[in-house]
Amino acid sequence: MKIPDKLKSLTGDFMYSMMGLIVMNGVIQLVLYPFFNRQLGADQFGVVLTLISLVAIMGSTFGTAANYSRMVTSMKEHDSNGDYNIFLCMIAVLSVLVSAAGLLWLKQFSVIVWIGYLALMIFTVLRYYSDVEFRLNLNYKRYFLFYLLISIGYLAGIALFYVTHSWIIAMLCGECLAVFFVMAVGGIYKGKKFKRSEFFKENMRSLMLLSGTELIAAVILNADRLILQAISGGVAVTIFYAATLVGKMVSLVSVPLNGVVIGHLAKYDGTIKKSTFVKLCLGSIAGSILINVVCYGVSYIFVRIMYADIFDMVKPYLWFANLGQVFYFIANTLTVILLRFTDEKYQLVINIVFLIAFVIIAIPMTMVWNLWGMAIALVIVNLIKILMIMIVGCRKI
Protein backbone atom coordinates (compact mmCIF):
# COMPACT_ATOMS: atom_id res chain seq x y z
CA MET A 1 0.00 0.00 0.00
CA LYS A 2 1.36 3.39 -0.97
CA ILE A 3 1.75 6.18 1.62
CA PRO A 4 -1.15 8.29 0.18
CA ASP A 5 -3.37 5.20 0.34
CA LYS A 6 -2.35 4.61 3.97
CA LEU A 7 -3.10 8.24 4.81
CA LYS A 8 -6.46 8.02 3.09
CA SER A 9 -7.29 4.84 5.01
CA LEU A 10 -6.17 6.37 8.32
CA THR A 11 -8.22 9.52 7.70
CA GLY A 12 -11.30 7.51 6.76
CA ASP A 13 -10.99 5.28 9.82
CA PHE A 14 -10.58 8.29 12.10
CA MET A 15 -13.62 10.01 10.60
CA TYR A 16 -15.85 6.95 11.04
CA SER A 17 -14.71 6.41 14.62
CA MET A 18 -14.93 10.10 15.51
CA MET A 19 -18.41 10.38 13.99
CA GLY A 20 -19.54 7.46 16.13
CA LEU A 21 -18.24 9.09 19.30
CA ILE A 22 -19.64 12.49 18.30
CA VAL A 23 -23.11 11.01 17.76
CA MET A 24 -23.03 9.14 21.08
CA ASN A 25 -21.69 12.04 23.11
CA GLY A 26 -23.95 14.46 21.30
CA VAL A 27 -26.93 12.44 22.51
CA ILE A 28 -25.46 12.29 26.03
CA GLN A 29 -24.57 15.98 26.33
CA LEU A 30 -27.37 17.55 24.28
CA VAL A 31 -30.25 15.26 25.16
CA LEU A 32 -29.69 12.71 27.94
CA TYR A 33 -27.91 14.73 30.66
CA PRO A 34 -29.92 17.96 30.19
CA PHE A 35 -33.04 15.78 30.38
CA PHE A 36 -31.85 14.25 33.66
CA ASN A 37 -31.01 17.73 35.00
CA ARG A 38 -34.51 19.02 34.22
CA GLN A 39 -36.22 15.95 35.66
CA LEU A 40 -34.10 15.53 38.79
CA GLY A 41 -32.85 19.05 39.70
CA ALA A 42 -29.26 20.25 40.19
CA ASP A 43 -28.62 18.52 43.53
CA GLN A 44 -29.96 15.05 42.60
CA PHE A 45 -28.41 15.32 39.14
CA GLY A 46 -25.06 15.85 40.87
CA VAL A 47 -25.60 12.60 42.77
CA VAL A 48 -26.46 10.80 39.53
CA LEU A 49 -23.31 12.20 37.88
CA THR A 50 -21.27 10.83 40.78
CA LEU A 51 -22.82 7.37 40.36
CA ILE A 52 -22.20 7.55 36.60
CA SER A 53 -18.57 8.40 37.39
CA LEU A 54 -18.17 5.16 39.36
CA VAL A 55 -19.57 3.25 36.37
CA ALA A 56 -17.22 5.14 34.04
CA ILE A 57 -14.24 4.33 36.27
CA MET A 58 -15.02 0.62 36.09
CA GLY A 59 -15.66 0.72 32.36
CA SER A 60 -12.70 2.85 31.35
CA THR A 61 -10.38 0.99 33.72
CA PHE A 62 -11.11 -2.65 33.02
CA GLY A 63 -12.95 -2.46 29.70
CA THR A 64 -10.31 -0.21 28.17
CA ALA A 65 -7.47 -2.26 29.70
CA ALA A 66 -8.87 -5.43 28.13
CA ASN A 67 -9.38 -3.55 24.87
CA TYR A 68 -5.82 -2.19 24.67
CA SER A 69 -4.29 -5.41 25.97
CA ARG A 70 -6.01 -7.40 23.25
CA MET A 71 -4.71 -4.99 20.62
CA VAL A 72 -1.16 -5.39 21.96
CA THR A 73 -1.34 -9.19 22.30
CA SER A 74 -2.82 -9.48 18.81
CA MET A 75 0.47 -8.12 17.46
CA LYS A 76 2.17 -11.13 19.09
CA GLU A 77 -0.68 -13.46 18.06
CA HIS A 78 -1.19 -14.30 21.73
CA ASP A 79 -4.77 -13.07 22.15
CA SER A 80 -7.51 -15.51 23.18
CA ASN A 81 -11.26 -15.15 23.75
CA GLY A 82 -11.13 -17.40 26.80
CA ASP A 83 -8.41 -15.42 28.61
CA TYR A 84 -10.25 -12.14 28.20
CA ASN A 85 -13.66 -13.58 29.04
CA ILE A 86 -12.25 -14.99 32.29
CA PHE A 87 -10.86 -11.55 33.14
CA LEU A 88 -14.23 -9.90 32.41
CA CYS A 89 -15.98 -12.40 34.70
CA MET A 90 -13.57 -11.46 37.49
CA ILE A 91 -14.46 -7.78 36.96
CA ALA A 92 -18.18 -8.64 37.07
CA VAL A 93 -17.63 -10.09 40.55
CA LEU A 94 -15.72 -6.97 41.59
CA SER A 95 -18.61 -4.85 40.26
CA VAL A 96 -20.93 -6.46 42.82
CA LEU A 97 -18.92 -4.84 45.62
CA VAL A 98 -18.23 -1.52 43.90
CA SER A 99 -21.86 -0.93 42.90
CA ALA A 100 -23.13 -1.69 46.41
CA ALA A 101 -20.50 0.53 48.03
CA GLY A 102 -21.31 3.44 45.70
CA LEU A 103 -25.03 3.30 46.38
CA LEU A 104 -24.51 2.99 50.15
CA TRP A 105 -22.08 5.98 50.16
CA LEU A 106 -24.61 8.21 48.40
CA LYS A 107 -27.57 6.85 50.37
CA GLN A 108 -29.31 5.53 47.25
CA PHE A 109 -29.29 1.82 48.08
CA SER A 110 -32.24 -0.51 47.60
CA VAL A 111 -32.17 -4.04 46.24
CA ILE A 112 -33.97 -3.11 43.01
CA VAL A 113 -31.75 -0.07 42.39
CA TRP A 114 -28.65 -2.14 43.18
CA ILE A 115 -29.57 -4.85 40.65
CA GLY A 116 -30.11 -2.26 37.93
CA TYR A 117 -26.96 -0.33 38.82
CA LEU A 118 -24.89 -3.54 38.89
CA ALA A 119 -26.20 -4.48 35.44
CA LEU A 120 -25.32 -1.01 34.14
CA MET A 121 -21.79 -1.30 35.53
CA ILE A 122 -21.17 -4.76 34.04
CA PHE A 123 -22.54 -3.88 30.61
CA THR A 124 -20.56 -0.65 30.57
CA VAL A 125 -17.34 -2.60 31.16
CA LEU A 126 -18.32 -4.94 28.33
CA ARG A 127 -19.14 -2.01 26.06
CA TYR A 128 -15.73 -0.41 26.61
CA TYR A 129 -14.12 -3.73 25.69
CA SER A 130 -16.44 -4.70 22.84
CA ASP A 131 -15.38 -2.17 20.22
CA VAL A 132 -12.03 -3.99 20.01
CA GLU A 133 -13.89 -6.38 17.69
CA PHE A 134 -13.92 -3.73 14.98
CA ARG A 135 -10.51 -2.24 15.71
CA LEU A 136 -8.83 -5.63 15.43
CA ASN A 137 -10.30 -5.97 11.95
CA LEU A 138 -9.96 -2.25 11.11
CA ASN A 139 -13.71 -2.25 10.37
CA TYR A 140 -14.53 1.33 11.33
CA LYS A 141 -17.86 1.37 9.52
CA ARG A 142 -19.16 -1.17 12.01
CA TYR A 143 -17.35 0.77 14.75
CA PHE A 144 -19.51 3.76 13.80
CA LEU A 145 -22.64 1.58 13.82
CA PHE A 146 -21.68 0.29 17.28
CA TYR A 147 -21.75 3.82 18.74
CA LEU A 148 -24.83 4.76 16.74
CA LEU A 149 -26.66 1.86 18.41
CA ILE A 150 -25.62 3.14 21.85
CA SER A 151 -27.13 6.52 20.94
CA ILE A 152 -30.37 4.93 19.74
CA GLY A 153 -30.53 2.93 22.95
CA TYR A 154 -30.13 6.08 25.07
CA LEU A 155 -32.94 7.81 23.18
CA ALA A 156 -35.17 4.77 23.70
CA GLY A 157 -34.18 4.87 27.37
CA ILE A 158 -35.41 8.47 27.68
CA ALA A 159 -38.84 7.29 26.50
CA LEU A 160 -38.73 4.50 29.09
CA PHE A 161 -37.85 7.04 31.81
CA TYR A 162 -41.41 8.34 31.69
CA VAL A 163 -42.61 4.83 32.55
CA THR A 164 -39.87 3.62 34.92
CA HIS A 165 -38.64 6.99 36.30
CA SER A 166 -35.19 5.36 36.34
CA TRP A 167 -32.07 7.00 34.91
CA ILE A 168 -30.35 3.61 35.23
CA ILE A 169 -32.77 1.94 32.79
CA ALA A 170 -32.36 4.86 30.39
CA MET A 171 -28.60 4.33 30.20
CA LEU A 172 -28.72 0.54 30.34
CA CYS A 173 -30.68 0.43 27.07
CA GLY A 174 -27.75 1.95 25.17
CA GLU A 175 -25.06 -0.24 26.74
CA CYS A 176 -27.00 -3.48 26.22
CA LEU A 177 -27.89 -2.73 22.59
CA ALA A 178 -24.22 -2.20 21.67
CA VAL A 179 -22.92 -5.28 23.52
CA PHE A 180 -25.59 -7.55 22.06
CA PHE A 181 -24.71 -6.23 18.59
CA VAL A 182 -21.09 -7.35 19.02
CA MET A 183 -22.18 -10.71 20.44
CA ALA A 184 -24.34 -11.20 17.33
CA VAL A 185 -21.95 -10.11 14.57
CA GLY A 186 -18.48 -10.37 16.14
CA GLY A 187 -16.17 -13.15 17.27
CA ILE A 188 -14.63 -11.96 20.57
CA TYR A 189 -17.31 -13.64 22.71
CA LYS A 190 -17.55 -16.86 20.68
CA GLY A 191 -15.68 -20.15 20.50
CA LYS A 192 -14.36 -21.77 23.67
CA LYS A 193 -15.55 -18.93 25.86
CA PHE A 194 -13.66 -19.72 29.08
CA LYS A 195 -10.77 -21.92 27.97
CA ARG A 196 -7.34 -20.67 29.01
CA SER A 197 -4.72 -20.32 26.32
CA GLU A 198 -1.04 -21.21 26.66
CA PHE A 199 -0.40 -17.46 26.97
CA PHE A 200 -2.84 -16.99 29.87
CA LYS A 201 -0.25 -15.80 32.40
CA GLU A 202 1.32 -13.40 29.91
CA ASN A 203 -2.08 -12.03 28.92
CA MET A 204 -3.12 -11.60 32.55
CA ARG A 205 0.12 -9.72 33.24
CA SER A 206 -0.70 -7.36 30.38
CA LEU A 207 -4.27 -6.97 31.66
CA MET A 208 -3.17 -6.22 35.22
CA LEU A 209 -0.52 -3.69 34.16
CA LEU A 210 -2.91 -1.86 31.88
CA SER A 211 -5.72 -2.05 34.46
CA GLY A 212 -3.49 -0.36 37.00
CA THR A 213 -2.59 2.28 34.46
CA GLU A 214 -6.16 2.89 33.36
CA LEU A 215 -7.50 2.85 36.94
CA ILE A 216 -5.31 5.77 37.93
CA ALA A 217 -6.23 7.73 34.81
CA ALA A 218 -9.95 6.96 35.21
CA VAL A 219 -10.04 7.90 38.89
CA ILE A 220 -8.34 11.21 38.18
CA LEU A 221 -10.62 11.92 35.21
CA ASN A 222 -13.68 11.40 37.41
CA ALA A 223 -12.18 12.62 40.68
CA ASP A 224 -13.69 16.08 40.32
CA ARG A 225 -17.17 14.64 40.83
CA LEU A 226 -16.16 12.24 43.61
CA ILE A 227 -14.20 14.82 45.61
CA LEU A 228 -16.67 17.68 45.09
CA GLN A 229 -19.55 15.39 46.06
CA ALA A 230 -17.74 14.47 49.28
CA ILE A 231 -16.72 18.05 50.11
CA SER A 232 -19.49 20.27 48.74
CA GLY A 233 -22.43 18.14 47.57
CA GLY A 234 -24.39 17.60 44.38
CA VAL A 235 -24.80 21.24 43.30
CA ALA A 236 -21.00 21.75 43.17
CA VAL A 237 -20.70 18.57 41.08
CA THR A 238 -23.26 19.92 38.61
CA ILE A 239 -21.53 23.33 38.37
CA PHE A 240 -18.12 21.81 37.69
CA TYR A 241 -19.58 19.31 35.24
CA ALA A 242 -21.10 22.17 33.24
CA ALA A 243 -17.81 24.11 33.37
CA THR A 244 -15.81 21.15 32.00
CA LEU A 245 -18.49 20.02 29.57
CA VAL A 246 -16.99 21.15 26.26
CA GLY A 247 -13.45 20.24 27.35
CA LYS A 248 -14.62 16.73 28.26
CA MET A 249 -16.30 16.42 24.87
CA VAL A 250 -13.00 17.37 23.22
CA SER A 251 -11.10 14.94 25.44
CA LEU A 252 -13.44 12.20 24.26
CA VAL A 253 -12.05 12.67 20.76
CA SER A 254 -9.01 10.87 22.18
CA VAL A 255 -11.07 7.67 22.31
CA PRO A 256 -11.58 7.28 18.53
CA LEU A 257 -8.24 8.88 17.79
CA ASN A 258 -6.41 6.50 20.12
CA GLY A 259 -8.36 3.56 18.74
CA VAL A 260 -7.33 4.37 15.17
CA VAL A 261 -3.74 5.16 16.20
CA ILE A 262 -3.18 1.91 18.11
CA GLY A 263 -5.00 -0.08 15.44
CA HIS A 264 -2.63 1.16 12.75
CA LEU A 265 0.47 1.17 14.96
CA ALA A 266 -0.23 -2.50 15.65
CA LYS A 267 0.45 -3.09 11.95
CA TYR A 268 3.50 -0.78 11.89
CA ASP A 269 6.94 -2.40 12.10
CA GLY A 270 9.09 0.75 12.16
CA THR A 271 10.38 2.97 14.95
CA ILE A 272 10.15 6.62 15.97
CA LYS A 273 13.04 8.99 16.70
CA LYS A 274 13.38 10.39 20.23
CA SER A 275 13.70 13.92 18.84
CA THR A 276 10.47 13.46 16.88
CA PHE A 277 8.65 12.27 19.99
CA VAL A 278 9.87 15.27 22.03
CA LYS A 279 8.77 17.69 19.30
CA LEU A 280 5.40 15.93 19.25
CA CYS A 281 5.00 16.41 23.03
CA LEU A 282 6.02 20.08 23.02
CA GLY A 283 3.91 20.83 19.97
CA SER A 284 0.93 19.18 21.67
CA ILE A 285 1.26 21.46 24.71
CA ALA A 286 1.31 24.53 22.48
CA GLY A 287 -1.64 23.21 20.49
CA SER A 288 -3.59 22.69 23.72
CA ILE A 289 -3.76 26.45 24.30
CA LEU A 290 -5.26 27.00 20.85
CA ILE A 291 -7.77 24.20 21.38
CA ASN A 292 -8.76 25.71 24.72
CA VAL A 293 -9.49 29.09 23.15
CA VAL A 294 -12.08 27.35 21.01
CA CYS A 295 -13.41 25.37 24.00
CA TYR A 296 -13.84 28.55 26.02
CA GLY A 297 -15.80 30.28 23.27
CA VAL A 298 -18.03 27.29 22.62
CA SER A 299 -18.58 26.75 26.36
CA TYR A 300 -19.72 30.33 26.83
CA ILE A 301 -22.49 29.81 24.29
CA PHE A 302 -23.30 26.14 24.89
CA VAL A 303 -23.54 26.21 28.68
CA ARG A 304 -25.52 29.45 28.59
CA ILE A 305 -28.15 27.67 26.46
CA MET A 306 -28.19 24.15 27.96
CA TYR A 307 -27.68 25.06 31.64
CA ALA A 308 -29.05 28.59 31.79
CA ASP A 309 -30.20 28.24 35.42
CA ILE A 310 -26.60 27.81 36.69
CA PHE A 311 -24.61 29.67 33.99
CA ASP A 312 -23.64 32.61 36.24
CA MET A 313 -22.14 30.18 38.75
CA VAL A 314 -20.33 28.22 36.00
CA LYS A 315 -18.88 31.17 34.03
CA PRO A 316 -15.82 32.01 36.22
CA TYR A 317 -14.38 28.48 35.89
CA LEU A 318 -14.68 27.96 32.13
CA TRP A 319 -11.06 28.66 31.09
CA PHE A 320 -9.17 26.55 33.63
CA ALA A 321 -11.80 23.79 33.83
CA ASN A 322 -11.63 23.22 30.08
CA LEU A 323 -7.83 23.50 29.90
CA GLY A 324 -7.43 20.63 32.35
CA GLN A 325 -9.59 18.44 30.11
CA VAL A 326 -7.67 19.43 26.96
CA PHE A 327 -4.36 18.51 28.63
CA TYR A 328 -5.94 15.19 29.63
CA PHE A 329 -6.87 14.55 25.98
CA ILE A 330 -3.32 15.30 24.79
CA ALA A 331 -1.78 13.09 27.50
CA ASN A 332 -4.04 10.16 26.53
CA THR A 333 -3.02 10.29 22.88
CA LEU A 334 0.68 10.58 23.67
CA THR A 335 0.34 7.64 26.07
CA VAL A 336 -1.05 5.40 23.33
CA ILE A 337 1.86 6.29 21.04
CA LEU A 338 4.30 5.56 23.87
CA LEU A 339 2.56 2.21 24.50
CA ARG A 340 3.44 1.05 20.99
CA PHE A 341 7.18 1.75 21.36
CA THR A 342 7.81 0.85 25.04
CA ASP A 343 6.77 -1.83 27.53
CA GLU A 344 3.34 -1.61 29.22
CA LYS A 345 5.01 -1.23 32.64
CA TYR A 346 6.11 2.31 31.84
CA GLN A 347 2.48 3.34 31.46
CA LEU A 348 1.94 2.22 35.04
CA VAL A 349 5.00 4.13 36.28
CA ILE A 350 3.78 7.32 34.61
CA ASN A 351 0.32 6.98 36.08
CA ILE A 352 1.64 6.25 39.59
CA VAL A 353 3.54 9.55 39.44
CA PHE A 354 0.36 11.10 38.05
CA LEU A 355 -1.65 9.77 41.01
CA ILE A 356 0.90 10.98 43.56
CA ALA A 357 0.86 14.46 41.98
CA PHE A 358 -2.94 14.45 42.06
CA VAL A 359 -3.15 13.46 45.72
CA ILE A 360 -0.52 16.02 46.77
CA ILE A 361 -1.88 18.87 44.65
CA ALA A 362 -5.56 18.42 43.80
CA ILE A 363 -7.12 17.20 47.03
CA PRO A 364 -5.60 19.88 49.32
CA MET A 365 -6.29 22.64 46.77
CA THR A 366 -9.93 21.56 46.50
CA MET A 367 -10.33 21.45 50.26
CA VAL A 368 -8.98 25.01 50.54
CA TRP A 369 -10.34 26.70 47.38
CA ASN A 370 -13.20 24.36 46.42
CA LEU A 371 -14.12 24.68 42.71
CA TRP A 372 -11.19 27.00 41.93
CA GLY A 373 -8.80 24.58 43.57
CA MET A 374 -10.07 21.65 41.52
CA ALA A 375 -9.98 23.59 38.23
CA ILE A 376 -6.38 24.80 38.61
CA ALA A 377 -5.12 21.54 40.11
CA LEU A 378 -6.33 19.49 37.12
CA VAL A 379 -4.38 21.77 34.78
CA ILE A 380 -1.20 21.25 36.82
CA VAL A 381 -1.42 17.45 37.21
CA ASN A 382 -2.29 16.79 33.56
CA LEU A 383 0.62 18.98 32.45
CA ILE A 384 2.90 16.98 34.76
CA LYS A 385 1.69 13.78 33.07
CA ILE A 386 2.56 15.12 29.60
CA LEU A 387 6.05 16.03 30.79
CA MET A 388 6.46 12.55 32.34
CA ILE A 389 5.48 10.94 29.05
CA MET A 390 8.08 13.05 27.26
CA ILE A 391 10.80 12.10 29.76
CA VAL A 392 10.01 8.36 29.56
CA GLY A 393 9.90 8.59 25.78
CA CYS A 394 13.35 10.20 25.71
CA ARG A 395 14.84 7.48 27.91
CA LYS A 396 13.06 4.32 26.75
CA ILE A 397 12.16 4.63 23.05
Side-chain angles (χ1 to χ4, degrees):
M1 186 184 290
K2 296 178 181 179
I3 294 298
D5 293 334
K6 287 184 178 180
L7 182 60
K8 183 178 179 180
S9 174
L10 185 63
T11 302
D13 291 346
F14 175 67
M15 290 306 297
Y16 272 117
S17 55
M18 186 172 72
M19 284 166 56
L21 268 293
I22 287 174
V23 170
M24 183 189 75
N25 286 290
V27 169
I28 291 173
Q29 308 299 352
L30 297 176
V31 183
L32 189 65
Y33 283 5
F35 174 79
F36 287 159
N37 185 51
R38 289 193 300 272
Q39 295 294 319
L40 303 173
D43 186 45
Q44 185 60 28
F45 180 51
V47 174
V48 168
L49 285 173
T50 306
L51 288 169
I52 291 172
S53 290
L54 292 174
V55 171
I57 287 171
M58 292 293 291
S60 59
T61 295
F62 300 109
T64 300
N67 193 308
Y68 283 0
S69 173
R70 184 135 193 185
M71 291 300 298
V72 172
T73 56
S74 72
M75 293 187 289
K76 309 171 187 175
E77 298 183 352
H78 290 180
D79 57 330
S80 158
N81 285 359
D83 294 352
Y84 287 87
N85 290 339
I86 290 170
F87 174 76
L88 292 169
C89 286
M90 293 165 56
I91 302 310
V93 174
L94 178 62
S95 296
V96 173
L97 302 176
V98 174
S99 58
L103 290 170
L104 288 168
W105 170 43
L106 295 170
K107 298 179 174 61
Q108 304 290 310
F109 187 87
S110 73
V111 174
I112 293 176
V113 171
W114 176 54
I115 292 171
Y117 188 57
L118 173 61
L120 177 62
M121 188 171 287
I122 291 171
F123 272 94
T124 300
V125 172
L126 294 176
R127 189 260 289 177
Y128 272 84
Y129 168 64
S130 293
D131 72 30
V132 77
E133 170 70 35
F134 310 118
R135 297 199 290 116
L136 282 169
N137 302 313
L138 299 180
N139 189 339
Y140 287 96
K141 291 182 180 179
R142 280 194 169 178
Y143 185 100
F144 167 76
L145 181 57
F146 175 83
Y147 282 97
L148 180 62
L149 288 172
I150 297 173
S151 307
I152 293 170
Y154 286 158
L155 294 174
I158 289 175
L160 284 176
F161 183 91
Y162 289 106
V163 178
T164 64
H165 303 290
S166 171
W167 65 270
I168 294 173
I169 297 299
M171 298 198 70
L172 188 58
C173 288
E175 309 301 330
C176 288
L177 193 58
V179 172
F180 290 149
F181 170 65
V182 174
M183 289 180 175
V185 305
I188 59 172
Y189 294 111
K190 295 179 179 177
K192 297 178 180 179
K193 297 181 176 63
F194 300 104
K195 183 179 179 181
R196 295 186 181 189
S197 75
E198 60 182 302
F199 306 109
F200 180 77
K201 289 184 178 179
E202 182 180 334
N203 289 342
M204 288 301 292
R205 174 183 177 274
S206 173
L207 283 163
M208 292 305 172
L209 281 172
L210 286 172
S211 292
T213 300
E214 295 297 329
L215 175 61
I216 295 169
V219 167
I220 293 176
L221 177 63
N222 293 277
D224 53 351
R225 299 179 190 179
L226 302 178
I227 295 171
L228 288 170
Q229 178 69 46
I231 294 173
S232 304
V235 174
V237 174
T238 301
I239 290 170
F240 200 73
Y241 161 75
T244 59
L245 183 54
V246 174
K248 281 186 182 292
M249 291 174 72
V250 169
S251 72
L252 288 168
V253 174
S254 66
V255 177
L257 177 60
N258 294 350
V260 173
V261 168
I262 197 170
H264 284 269
L265 284 177
K267 312 295 183 184
Y268 175 66
D269 295 325
T271 59
I272 185 174
K273 293 181 179 179
K274 293 181 180 181
S275 59
T276 301
F277 188 74
V278 171
K279 290 175 183 177
L280 185 61
C281 293
L282 295 176
S284 297
I285 294 173
S288 299
I289 305 301
L290 296 177
I291 294 172
N292 202 52
V293 170
V294 177
C295 288
Y296 180 83
V298 173
S299 294
Y300 205 90
I301 298 169
F302 182 79
V303 178
R304 191 183 196 101
I305 295 171
M306 301 305 297
Y307 295 90
D309 54 328
I310 58 172
F311 177 72
D312 288 338
M313 293 185 284
V314 172
K315 184 167 58 176
Y317 308 106
L318 288 177
W319 176 263
F320 284 103
N322 281 301
L323 184 59
Q325 301 306 314
V326 173
F327 278 155
Y328 177 85
F329 151 62
I330 295 298
N332 267 0
T333 302
L334 292 173
T335 297
V336 168
I337 297 172
L338 190 67
L339 176 63
R340 170 60 183 84
F341 298 105
T342 62
D343 192 273
E344 294 104 317
K345 66 183 179 182
Y346 296 116
Q347 314 296 315
L348 183 58
V349 171
I350 290 169
N351 275 5
I352 288 173
V353 175
F354 187 33
L355 177 60
I356 293 170
F358 182 85
V359 171
I360 293 173
I361 297 170
I363 295 177
M365 287 182 68
T366 304
M367 293 177 68
V368 175
W369 293 296
N370 208 304
L371 289 167
W372 272 116
M374 178 62 73
I376 295 172
L378 286 177
V379 172
I380 295 171
V381 296
N382 281 297
L383 183 58
I384 289 172
K385 183 175 182 180
I386 294 173
L387 295 175
M388 278 293 299
I389 291 168
M390 185 171 67
I391 291 168
V392 172
C394 285
R395 294 177 62 88
K396 300 300 178 182
I397 286 179

